[in-house]
Amino acid sequence: MKVTVDVDCTPAEARAFLGLPDVTPIHDKYIKTMLDGFDGIGSAEQMETLFKSFSPMGDAGMRLFQQMMNMGLAGMSGSSDKK
């Protein structure tokens, strides 16, 4: 027997229903900090330094993100760089 239940609710309602905390204030503060960090950036090196400071896994996380972006760009351009 298979039972399917569809629930139509907002993310806030789902969090309340499941008893999860509302992390909106933390999220808003994190986003504000990131946006404030972009003020005054004039070079790619400064941008990279900023992203490294926000990266939860440090350099390893940045390399993983860069690899994912490169794969996505390669897929969008249609190139097949299989090694």
Side-chain angles (χ1 to χ4, degrees), residues 25-76:
I26 298 167
H27 178 262
D28 292 342
K29 184 169 179 74
Y30 181 76
I31 296 299
K32 183 182 181 322
T33 303
M34 286 189 68
L35 292 175
D36 289 346
F38 284 113
D39 293 339
I41 290 182
S43 69
E45 290 81 21
Q46 289 175 328
M47 182 76 72
E48 183 177 356
T49 303
L50 176 69
F51 280 131
K52 282 183 181 179
S53 71
F54 286 128
S55 177
M57 294 180 359
D59 287 338
M62 284 302 296
R63 282 193 297 275
L64 177 64
F65 178 73
Q66 186 175 18
Q67 288 173 350
M68 290 188 323
M69 293 301 290
N70 288 338
M71 290 185 333
L73 292 174
M76 287 176 51

Side-chain angles (χ1 to χ4, degrees), residues 3-24:
V3 176
T4 303
V5 177
D6 292 326
V7 178
D8 185 21
C9 64
T10 66
E13 292 169 337
R15 278 193 303 271
F17 176 73
L18 295 172
L20 299 174
D22 182 12
V23 295
T24 303

